[in-house]
Amino acid sequence: MNPAVQNANYGALTSLMPLGGVVPLTWYITLASLLFITGAVGVLVKRNPIVIFMCVELMLNASNLALIAFGRYLGNSGGMMFSIFVMAVAAAEVAVGLGILISIFRLRDSISVDEVNLMRG
Amino acid sequence: MNDTLQGIWAISGPLFVAIMGMVVLVIGLGETSPAGRRFLPLGTILGLVAAGILTLVSSRGIPNMPDVTPARFFGQGMLMDDVGGWFCVTLCLAAALTAGMAPAYLEEKRINNGEFYALLLFATCGAMLMALANDLINVFVGLEILSVSLYILCGFSRRELRSEEAAVKYFLLGAFASAFFVFGSALIYGAVGIANRAISLQQENVSFTNFDIISEALQNSARSGMPLMSSPLFVTGIALIVVGLGFKASLVPFHSYAPDVYEGAPTPVTAFMSAGAKLGAFAAFLRLSHAFLASDGAEPYRLVLWTLAAATMLVGNVLAMRQTNIKRMLACSSIAHAGYLLVGILASSHGSASLYATQSVLFYLLAYTLMNLGAFAVIIWLGRNGGDYLDIRDYAGLAKKQPLAALTLTICLLSLAGIPPTAGFFGKLYLFMAAIRSGEVSIAVIGLVISAIGLFYYLNLIMQMYLREPHLEFEEPREGGAKRAAILAAILTIILGVAPNLLVSPSPAGEMNAPPPVPMLKTRPGENTLERGSLPIEPNANR
């Protein structure tokens, strides 16, 4: 049996070494997770919708990084395909999101989420 | 080549809706005369009816190849079976009712543009794709088509600050939830791929986000002593996906946006959103649960669903009691209904009752679509120039001023409360029966107790309408399409409530004979305890 296969105890991430790669898969996944958490925290603490949306983009790109790292590690092209879909969708979301923000800015010369408070239940 | 043609035939329903959307968009952009604009909703409804029929036909299989349902197409990425077909038809119905109730409302707000109907059709197409997806990539694409269309629709009343605020809120939280979904898919992709490698399964040309592959990996990895459910990557991935879908289905604790967004969005959009977004999300939930069917280690997943279902039912109903705005009340009640549906999803992850539970979820979604859209249609119907009657106290004495509207709203509310003889009663009955059959008795009991709390606010509104003295005149209600849509929905609610197995007949000539939703169900004949004639959809094993 292939030694890499024997080592693949995926209960522990540390043993996931790429086949002949230089940077271990673990590093990619750790980086992607950190980026994702940074983005998620940013969404929760930031008040400017544009910055919030940038944080969402950061989360999406963290996913892209994880997808591509896994795809490369597994020798499977599905991850790269998925990441292309994610990029296309992110572009569409930006277009719509900025449109909505411009539209609310026209009605009230501010876009801070603290002032989005017309409805309270 | 032939495969591609078969695939196109299988998803002809959503394709037709997408093409209709583009046609409506082009016509709507060019058309400025009021007479021409009146044609748009009519054309939209006709197109949706055609798409519904097309879906019914194509879900019955490919001509001359009756054996291929449920069939997988586009590299196993799409799955056309009767479950998907049922979701698509329900979605077409929801969109058609919305297109029917919208015109007068939009005309008053001076936003009756062709884009509304085009976006409605695109959103429907996205939700249909979610219902037919067999791969997380396709679920994601469908989810985004649905969500992006809904973001725009929420802010469609662009002169109203409320509508724009709803759009900003929905957009920011929706994009946040999508990011969770994508990261979850990425982790599942990695975990399933690594599991497949560890047990030396095929690696090339396999999509690790495919529900079939995930299901296989769950089974095989458990057999080889390294269960996938003990992989932190996989568990985190599933958790993130549940967060992403839970947001769309407005499950507690991801529900906080729902009342605000539902209140701010234009009423027809609220109506569609409450049904369409839930249909798409629950279709994906159902497929995800089926992937867990055959494996033993699904307990953590079930525990999460159990907790979410109990919390959603409780919080939704408690929130709804405190509302004074009828749109907010219906928003909170739709949160509670998501909880009831989750009970069915939970039951469907047990092999012993999976088929029954799947069918009960499908029936409940149809019933929910009818009764909820009916209630929103009455709100639009009663509105008139200058505003809507949104405060619950405004409905005092409605029965004296507008008896027909009061009766229609009463039918819808009784159905939402789950009182016979309405569709909502049988929907709840089937869901809780499914939970009991699958051994989840505790959640069924909790659900029954909580739905008794729910009676309070529905009956309160009915009492307002019938027992109080009117203090408003209700002059010149909008009527028109909204009236027709509301009455149609109420009649269908009653019909489904009087004869819940009308849509069904044991013969193959019936409406929809659902074969088991996943092939692995067929291998467990002894456990299929379904009673013939007791449910809207009948299994047809001789297919």
Side-chain angles (χ1 to χ4, degrees), chain B residues 317 320-321 340 416-417 449-460:
Chain B
N317 276 320
M321 274 197 280
Y340 303 137
L416 284 165
V449 172
I450 294 177
S451 56
I453 302 177
L455 281 177
F456 171 78
Y457 55 91
Y458 296 121
L459 294 183
N460 177 35

Side-chain angles (χ1 to χ4, degrees), chain B residues 157-378:
Chain B
S157 183
R158 62 175 189 281
R159 294 177 199 88
E160 277 180 60
L161 198 51
R162 261 163 203 279
S163 176
E164 293 312 305
E165 284 194 358
V168 170
K169 241 175 216 178
Y170 194 44
F171 166 70
L172 288 177
L173 286 167
F176 188 49
S178 302
F180 275 91
F181 184 88
V182 180
F183 199 69
S185 309
L187 294 185
I188 286 181
Y189 172 79
V192 172
I194 290 165
N196 270 14
R197 164 175 288 181
I199 46 184
S200 314
L201 278 180
Q202 192 195 353
Q203 295 279 311
E204 306 287 317
N205 302 325
V206 168
S207 168
F208 298 129
T209 43
N210 189 304
F211 287 132
D212 298 336
I213 304 288
I214 294 174
S215 177
E216 261 173 48
L218 274 165
Q219 279 169 278
N220 291 330
S221 63
R223 218 173 287 141
S224 65
M226 292 184 290
L228 199 49
M229 277 312 280
S230 65
S231 148
L233 274 185
F234 188 76
V235 174
T236 319
I238 291 287
L240 292 176
I241 283 192
V242 169
V243 172
L245 289 178
F247 173 85
K248 289 289 156 209
S250 67
L251 303 179
V252 173
F254 321 112
H255 67 288
S256 55
Y257 76 98
D260 291 352
V261 172
Y262 282 30
E263 184 193 344
T267 313
V269 177
T270 312
F272 180 74
M273 205 164 38
S274 67
K278 278 205 177 50
L279 276 160
F282 277 106
F285 257 127
L286 210 51
R287 304 271 192 226
L288 193 65
S289 294
H290 285 156
F292 280 99
L293 255 185
S295 64
D296 299 325
E299 279 314 312
Y301 177 70
R302 287 187 193 132
L303 188 64
V304 169
L305 286 194
W306 192 97
T307 318
L308 286 178
T312 309
M313 288 189 289
L314 183 66
V315 174
N317 276 320
V318 170
L319 278 179
M321 274 197 280
R322 296 172 41 223
Q323 304 302 331
T324 53
N325 178 310
I326 190 165
K327 268 168 98 177
R328 286 183 82 89
M329 189 199 92
L330 285 173
C332 295
S333 102
S334 90
I335 297 173
H337 285 276
Y340 303 137
L341 282 161
L342 205 57
V343 173
I345 302 282
L346 173 63
S348 80
S349 74
H350 286 275
S352 53
S354 180
L355 185 57
Y356 189 94
T358 306
Q359 290 170 337
S360 68
V361 169
L362 294 181
F363 183 81
Y364 198 79
L365 277 167
L366 176 63
Y368 169 77
T369 302
L370 287 172
M371 56 207 188
N372 218 31
L373 262 67
F376 279 113
V378 174

Side-chain angles (χ1 to χ4, degrees), chain A residues 1 5 8-13 16 19 25 29 32-33 36 39-40 43-44 49 52-53 56 59-60 62-64 66-67 70-71 73-82 85-86 89 92-94 96-98 100-101 103-104 107-108 113 115-121, chain B residues 136-137 140-141 144 148 151-152 155 158-162 164-169 171-172 174-176 178-180 182-183 185-187 189-191 193-195 197-200 203-209 221 226-228 230-233 240 260 263-264 322-323 328:
Chain A
M1 208 190 215
V5 173
N9 165 22
Y10 41 86
L13 273 172
L16 298 177
L19 300 172
L25 175 67
I29 304 308
S33 307
F36 185 80
V43 170
L44 297 176
I52 292 178
F53 193 61
V56 171
M59 293 164 78
L60 288 175
S63 320
N64 282 344
L67 279 168
F70 278 129
Y73 173 76
L74 298 164
N76 179 293
S77 56
M80 281 161 236
M81 266 168 48
F82 203 146
F85 276 100
V86 174
V89 163
E93 270 190 349
V94 172
V96 168
L98 292 184
I100 292 172
L101 292 179
S103 162
I104 198 169
L107 289 177
R108 187 191 55 196
V113 283
E115 292 170 36
V116 178
N117 55 7
L118 221 55
M119 292 161 289
R120 279 277 175 269
Chain B
L136 287 173
I137 300 186
F140 173 65
V141 172
E144 286 302 315
V148 170
Y151 303 150
I152 309 174
R158 62 175 189 281
R159 294 177 199 88
E160 277 180 60
L161 198 51
R162 261 163 203 279
E164 293 312 305
E165 284 194 358
V168 170
K169 241 175 216 178
F171 166 70
L172 288 177
F176 188 49
S178 302
F180 275 91
V182 180
F183 199 69
S185 309
L187 294 185
Y189 172 79
I194 290 165
R197 164 175 288 181
I199 46 184
S200 314
Q203 295 279 311
E204 306 287 317
N205 302 325
V206 168
S207 168
F208 298 129
T209 43
S221 63
M226 292 184 290
L228 199 49
S230 65
S231 148
L233 274 185
L240 292 176
D260 291 352
E263 184 193 344
R322 296 172 41 223
Q323 304 302 331
R328 286 183 82 89

